[in-house]
Amino acid sequence: MAQMSKKNDLVVWVYLSPLQERLYKKFISTRCLADLKLTDSDSLMKISNHPRLLTVREYSELLDWDELGLDLSHDEFIEDFDENNMFQLPSENLIQESGKIAFLVPLLERLREEGNRILVFSQSVKMLDIIERILEEREFKLLRVDGTVFSAAQHHHRVTLFQTHSQYTVFLLTTKVGGLGFNLTAANRVVIVDPSWNPATDSQVLDRVYRIGQQKDVIVYRLITCGTIEEKKYCSQIFKNSLFRQAMGENGNFIKYFNKQDMKQCFTLGDTKSSSTQRLFQTLHCDRQETDKTLGDHLAYLHSLKMFGISDHNFFFSKMQN
Protein backbone atom coordinates (compact mmCIF):
# COMPACT_ATOMS: atom_id res chain seq x y z
CA MET A 1 0.00 0.00 0.00
CA ALA A 2 1.11 3.56 -0.74
CA GLN A 3 2.33 5.40 2.34
CA MET A 4 0.17 8.36 3.32
CA SER A 5 1.71 11.78 3.80
CA LYS A 6 1.64 13.48 7.20
CA LYS A 7 -1.30 15.56 8.43
CA ASN A 8 -1.14 18.22 11.14
CA ASP A 9 -4.61 19.19 12.32
CA LEU A 10 -4.34 22.53 14.14
CA VAL A 11 -6.95 24.40 16.15
CA VAL A 12 -6.16 28.13 16.02
CA TRP A 13 -7.73 30.17 18.81
CA VAL A 14 -8.39 33.66 17.45
CA TYR A 15 -9.77 36.83 19.02
CA LEU A 16 -13.01 38.68 18.44
CA SER A 17 -12.56 42.15 16.97
CA PRO A 18 -13.64 45.03 19.25
CA LEU A 19 -16.81 45.42 17.15
CA GLN A 20 -17.63 41.71 17.40
CA GLU A 21 -17.15 41.74 21.15
CA ARG A 22 -19.50 44.73 21.59
CA LEU A 23 -22.18 43.10 19.46
CA TYR A 24 -21.80 39.75 21.21
CA LYS A 25 -22.14 41.26 24.70
CA LYS A 26 -25.14 43.32 23.62
CA PHE A 27 -26.83 40.26 22.15
CA ILE A 28 -26.53 38.04 25.22
CA SER A 29 -27.51 40.91 27.54
CA THR A 30 -30.81 41.32 25.68
CA ARG A 31 -31.77 37.62 25.72
CA CYS A 32 -33.43 35.65 28.49
CA LEU A 33 -31.55 32.37 28.91
CA ALA A 34 -34.78 30.51 29.62
CA ASP A 35 -36.25 31.53 26.25
CA LEU A 36 -33.25 31.04 23.96
CA LYS A 37 -33.94 29.54 20.54
CA LEU A 38 -31.82 27.87 17.87
CA THR A 39 -31.90 31.10 15.88
CA ASP A 40 -30.18 32.82 18.80
CA SER A 41 -27.25 30.44 18.55
CA ASP A 42 -27.15 31.12 14.81
CA SER A 43 -26.90 34.86 15.50
CA LEU A 44 -24.03 34.32 17.94
CA MET A 45 -22.25 32.21 15.33
CA LYS A 46 -22.65 35.00 12.78
CA ILE A 47 -21.20 37.56 15.16
CA SER A 48 -18.28 35.23 15.94
CA ASN A 49 -17.40 34.96 12.25
CA HIS A 50 -18.14 38.42 10.85
CA PRO A 51 -20.65 41.10 11.93
CA ARG A 52 -21.77 41.54 8.33
CA LEU A 53 -23.30 38.07 8.34
CA LEU A 54 -26.11 39.62 10.41
CA THR A 55 -29.09 41.15 8.66
CA VAL A 56 -29.38 44.94 8.63
CA ARG A 57 -32.22 44.67 11.15
CA GLU A 58 -30.25 42.39 13.50
CA TYR A 59 -27.24 44.66 13.30
CA SER A 60 -29.14 47.90 13.90
CA GLU A 61 -30.84 46.40 16.98
CA LEU A 62 -27.45 45.61 18.49
CA LEU A 63 -25.75 48.92 17.80
CA ASP A 64 -24.75 50.88 20.86
CA TRP A 65 -24.53 54.13 18.95
CA ASP A 66 -23.04 56.28 21.70
CA GLU A 67 -20.13 53.89 22.20
CA LEU A 68 -19.30 53.54 18.50
CA GLY A 69 -18.31 57.18 18.17
CA LEU A 70 -18.72 57.30 14.38
CA ASP A 71 -19.05 60.40 12.23
CA LEU A 72 -21.82 58.81 10.18
CA SER A 73 -25.44 59.15 11.18
CA HIS A 74 -27.31 56.01 12.21
CA ASP A 75 -29.14 55.84 8.86
CA GLU A 76 -25.92 56.38 6.90
CA PHE A 77 -24.17 53.61 8.80
CA ILE A 78 -27.03 51.16 8.26
CA GLU A 79 -27.03 52.00 4.55
CA ASP A 80 -23.27 51.37 4.50
CA PHE A 81 -23.85 48.03 6.25
CA ASP A 82 -26.40 46.94 3.65
CA GLU A 83 -25.21 43.99 1.55
CA ASN A 84 -25.59 45.93 -1.71
CA ASN A 85 -23.10 48.58 -0.53
CA MET A 86 -20.78 46.38 1.54
CA PHE A 87 -18.43 45.54 -1.29
CA GLN A 88 -17.83 49.20 -2.13
CA LEU A 89 -15.94 49.52 1.15
CA PRO A 90 -12.14 49.27 1.37
CA SER A 91 -11.28 45.65 2.10
CA GLU A 92 -9.34 46.77 5.17
CA ASN A 93 -12.69 47.66 6.79
CA LEU A 94 -13.93 44.11 6.26
CA ILE A 95 -10.69 42.70 7.67
CA GLN A 96 -10.66 44.83 10.82
CA GLU A 97 -14.28 43.97 11.66
CA SER A 98 -13.52 40.25 12.09
CA GLY A 99 -10.81 38.60 14.17
CA LYS A 100 -10.92 35.54 11.93
CA ILE A 101 -10.41 37.53 8.75
CA ALA A 102 -7.61 39.52 10.42
CA PHE A 103 -5.84 36.19 11.00
CA LEU A 104 -6.84 34.51 7.73
CA VAL A 105 -5.67 37.12 5.21
CA PRO A 106 -1.98 37.26 6.22
CA LEU A 107 -1.99 33.46 6.59
CA LEU A 108 -3.22 32.99 3.01
CA GLU A 109 -0.71 35.54 1.72
CA ARG A 110 2.10 33.64 3.46
CA LEU A 111 0.89 30.27 2.17
CA ARG A 112 0.73 31.65 -1.38
CA GLU A 113 4.31 32.95 -1.11
CA GLU A 114 5.45 29.47 -0.04
CA GLY A 115 3.76 27.84 -3.06
CA ASN A 116 0.98 26.09 -1.13
CA ARG A 117 -2.52 25.56 -2.46
CA ILE A 118 -5.42 26.05 -0.09
CA LEU A 119 -9.03 24.99 0.41
CA VAL A 120 -11.11 27.43 2.47
CA PHE A 121 -14.38 26.06 3.87
CA SER A 122 -17.21 28.00 5.51
CA GLN A 123 -20.81 27.12 6.31
CA SER A 124 -21.83 30.60 5.12
CA VAL A 125 -22.07 31.70 1.49
CA LYS A 126 -21.89 35.31 2.64
CA MET A 127 -18.66 34.62 4.53
CA LEU A 128 -17.20 33.26 1.31
CA ASP A 129 -18.41 36.45 -0.43
CA ILE A 130 -16.40 38.54 2.03
CA ILE A 131 -13.29 36.37 1.72
CA GLU A 132 -13.53 36.35 -2.07
CA ARG A 133 -13.85 40.14 -2.19
CA ILE A 134 -10.70 40.57 -0.08
CA LEU A 135 -8.64 37.96 -1.94
CA GLU A 136 -9.53 39.24 -5.39
CA GLU A 137 -8.31 42.70 -4.39
CA ARG A 138 -5.00 41.04 -3.47
CA GLU A 139 -4.88 39.33 -6.86
CA PHE A 140 -5.37 35.77 -5.66
CA LYS A 141 -6.24 33.35 -8.44
CA LEU A 142 -9.19 31.43 -7.01
CA LEU A 143 -12.13 29.16 -7.74
CA ARG A 144 -15.37 28.67 -5.85
CA VAL A 145 -18.14 26.09 -5.41
CA ASP A 146 -21.08 26.63 -3.04
CA GLY A 147 -24.81 25.98 -2.76
CA THR A 148 -25.55 28.48 -5.53
CA VAL A 149 -23.76 26.26 -8.07
CA PHE A 150 -26.38 23.60 -8.84
CA SER A 151 -24.92 21.94 -11.91
CA ALA A 152 -22.90 18.79 -11.30
CA ALA A 153 -21.06 19.55 -14.54
CA GLN A 154 -20.00 22.95 -13.15
CA HIS A 155 -18.84 21.31 -9.93
CA HIS A 156 -16.76 18.82 -11.89
CA HIS A 157 -15.36 21.51 -14.21
CA ARG A 158 -14.13 23.70 -11.34
CA VAL A 159 -12.68 20.76 -9.41
CA THR A 160 -10.84 19.64 -12.55
CA LEU A 161 -9.49 23.16 -13.11
CA PHE A 162 -8.11 23.26 -9.57
CA GLN A 163 -6.62 19.79 -9.82
CA THR A 164 -4.88 20.45 -13.14
CA HIS A 165 -4.01 24.17 -13.13
CA SER A 166 -1.57 25.16 -10.40
CA GLN A 167 -2.13 28.90 -10.91
CA TYR A 168 -5.31 28.58 -8.81
CA THR A 169 -4.04 29.13 -5.28
CA VAL A 170 -7.33 29.11 -3.31
CA PHE A 171 -10.54 27.11 -3.69
CA LEU A 172 -13.49 28.52 -1.70
CA LEU A 173 -16.18 25.98 -0.76
CA THR A 174 -19.16 25.74 1.53
CA THR A 175 -18.91 22.99 4.14
CA LYS A 176 -21.94 21.10 2.74
CA VAL A 177 -20.30 20.92 -0.68
CA GLY A 178 -17.30 19.35 1.05
CA GLY A 179 -19.39 16.23 1.67
CA LEU A 180 -20.00 15.53 -2.03
CA GLY A 181 -16.94 13.36 -2.51
CA PHE A 182 -14.67 15.68 -4.49
CA ASN A 183 -11.03 14.71 -4.93
CA LEU A 184 -8.96 17.83 -4.20
CA THR A 185 -5.54 16.38 -3.50
CA ALA A 186 -3.87 19.23 -5.43
CA ALA A 187 -4.37 21.25 -2.23
CA ASN A 188 -2.11 20.73 0.78
CA ARG A 189 -3.60 23.29 3.18
CA VAL A 190 -7.17 23.42 4.52
CA VAL A 191 -8.84 26.23 6.47
CA ILE A 192 -12.13 25.49 8.25
CA VAL A 193 -13.40 28.98 8.99
CA ASP A 194 -16.26 27.90 11.26
CA PRO A 195 -16.80 24.59 13.12
CA SER A 196 -19.88 22.43 12.71
CA TRP A 197 -22.07 21.02 15.48
CA ASN A 198 -21.59 17.64 13.77
CA PRO A 199 -17.98 16.40 13.94
CA ALA A 200 -18.58 14.14 10.93
CA THR A 201 -19.23 17.21 8.76
CA ASP A 202 -15.76 18.64 9.34
CA SER A 203 -14.22 15.17 8.92
CA GLN A 204 -15.80 14.90 5.46
CA VAL A 205 -14.27 18.24 4.54
CA LEU A 206 -10.78 16.96 5.38
CA ASP A 207 -11.39 13.81 3.33
CA ARG A 208 -11.36 15.98 0.19
CA VAL A 209 -7.64 16.52 0.67
CA TYR A 210 -6.16 13.89 2.95
CA ARG A 211 -6.84 10.70 1.00
CA ILE A 212 -5.12 8.21 -1.27
CA GLY A 213 -3.24 10.16 -3.92
CA GLN A 214 -2.14 12.97 -1.61
CA GLN A 215 1.64 13.21 -1.95
CA LYS A 216 2.27 16.34 0.11
CA ASP A 217 2.08 16.87 3.85
CA VAL A 218 -1.21 18.50 4.83
CA ILE A 219 -1.86 21.18 7.43
CA VAL A 220 -5.40 21.93 8.63
CA TYR A 221 -6.36 25.17 10.39
CA ARG A 222 -9.61 25.19 12.39
CA LEU A 223 -10.40 28.81 13.33
CA ILE A 224 -12.27 29.21 16.63
CA THR A 225 -12.93 32.44 18.52
CA CYS A 226 -11.92 32.45 22.18
CA GLY A 227 -14.68 32.40 24.80
CA THR A 228 -17.60 32.34 22.36
CA ILE A 229 -20.28 29.84 21.38
CA GLU A 230 -17.77 28.50 18.87
CA GLU A 231 -15.48 27.31 21.63
CA LYS A 232 -18.46 25.61 23.27
CA LYS A 233 -19.46 24.13 19.92
CA TYR A 234 -15.98 22.73 19.43
CA CYS A 235 -16.10 21.24 22.94
CA SER A 236 -19.40 19.65 21.94
CA GLN A 237 -17.70 18.07 18.94
CA ILE A 238 -15.10 16.52 21.19
CA PHE A 239 -17.74 15.31 23.67
CA LYS A 240 -19.84 13.69 20.92
CA ASN A 241 -16.83 12.13 19.23
CA SER A 242 -15.59 10.66 22.50
CA LEU A 243 -19.03 9.14 23.18
CA PHE A 244 -19.08 7.68 19.67
CA ARG A 245 -15.65 6.11 20.10
CA GLN A 246 -16.68 4.55 23.39
CA ALA A 247 -19.94 3.28 21.86
CA MET A 248 -17.95 1.69 19.02
CA GLY A 249 -15.99 -0.22 21.63
CA GLU A 250 -12.55 1.32 21.18
CA ASN A 251 -10.20 0.02 23.83
CA GLY A 252 -8.49 2.27 26.35
CA ASN A 253 -9.46 5.06 28.70
CA PHE A 254 -10.05 8.24 26.75
CA ILE A 255 -9.59 11.55 28.51
CA LYS A 256 -12.97 13.12 29.28
CA TYR A 257 -12.34 16.81 28.76
CA PHE A 258 -15.94 18.00 28.81
CA ASN A 259 -19.34 16.93 30.12
CA LYS A 260 -23.00 17.78 29.63
CA GLN A 261 -22.86 20.61 32.13
CA ASP A 262 -20.20 22.31 30.03
CA MET A 263 -22.60 22.28 27.09
CA LYS A 264 -25.09 24.43 29.02
CA GLN A 265 -22.65 27.33 28.94
CA CYS A 266 -23.11 28.02 25.21
CA PHE A 267 -24.93 31.29 25.79
CA THR A 268 -22.35 32.92 27.99
CA LEU A 269 -19.30 34.85 26.88
CA GLY A 270 -16.04 33.71 28.42
CA ASP A 271 -12.64 35.33 28.34
CA THR A 272 -12.25 36.65 24.78
CA LYS A 273 -8.49 37.13 25.22
CA SER A 274 -7.70 33.50 26.03
CA SER A 275 -9.11 30.01 25.59
CA SER A 276 -9.72 27.79 28.62
CA THR A 277 -9.88 24.82 26.23
CA GLN A 278 -6.46 25.62 24.77
CA ARG A 279 -4.96 26.09 28.25
CA LEU A 280 -6.39 22.74 29.41
CA PHE A 281 -4.98 21.07 26.35
CA GLN A 282 -1.57 22.70 26.85
CA THR A 283 -1.41 21.50 30.45
CA LEU A 284 -2.20 17.89 29.53
CA HIS A 285 -0.17 17.56 26.35
CA CYS A 286 2.60 20.17 26.40
CA ASP A 287 5.29 17.44 26.27
CA ARG A 288 3.73 15.43 23.42
CA GLN A 289 3.89 17.83 20.46
CA GLU A 290 6.44 16.58 17.92
CA THR A 291 7.58 18.99 15.23
CA ASP A 292 10.27 19.04 12.57
CA LYS A 293 12.04 22.29 11.69
CA THR A 294 9.67 23.17 8.86
CA LEU A 295 6.55 22.79 11.00
CA GLY A 296 8.27 24.47 13.93
CA ASP A 297 9.10 27.51 11.81
CA HIS A 298 5.52 27.62 10.54
CA LEU A 299 4.08 27.44 14.05
CA ALA A 300 6.38 30.30 15.04
CA TYR A 301 4.98 32.34 12.15
CA LEU A 302 1.39 31.58 13.24
CA HIS A 303 2.19 32.79 16.74
CA SER A 304 3.31 36.11 15.23
CA LEU A 305 -0.22 36.73 13.93
CA LYS A 306 -3.25 37.99 15.86
CA MET A 307 -4.33 34.92 17.79
CA PHE A 308 -4.15 33.42 21.30
CA GLY A 309 -2.71 29.96 20.74
CA ILE A 310 -2.70 26.66 18.87
CA SER A 311 -3.82 23.15 19.79
CA ASP A 312 -3.40 19.81 18.04
CA HIS A 313 -6.92 18.59 17.25
CA ASN A 314 -5.90 14.93 17.28
CA PHE A 315 -4.70 15.06 20.89
CA PHE A 316 -8.23 15.83 22.07
CA PHE A 317 -9.11 12.22 21.24
CA SER A 318 -5.98 10.67 22.67
CA LYS A 319 -5.91 8.14 25.46
CA MET A 320 -4.80 8.69 29.02
CA GLN A 321 -1.13 8.22 29.65
CA ASN A 322 -0.15 5.28 31.85
Side-chain angles (χ1 to χ4, degrees), residues 19-33:
L19 175 60
Q20 286 175 297
E21 188 165 348
R22 282 197 297 267
L23 294 172
Y24 203 107
K25 288 178 177 178
K26 183 66 177 294
F27 185 93
I28 59 178
S29 71
T30 58
R31 297 299 192 273
C32 173
L33 289 177

Side-chain angles (χ1 to χ4, degrees), residues 263 269 307:
M263 299 302 103
L269 181 62
M307 59 90 178

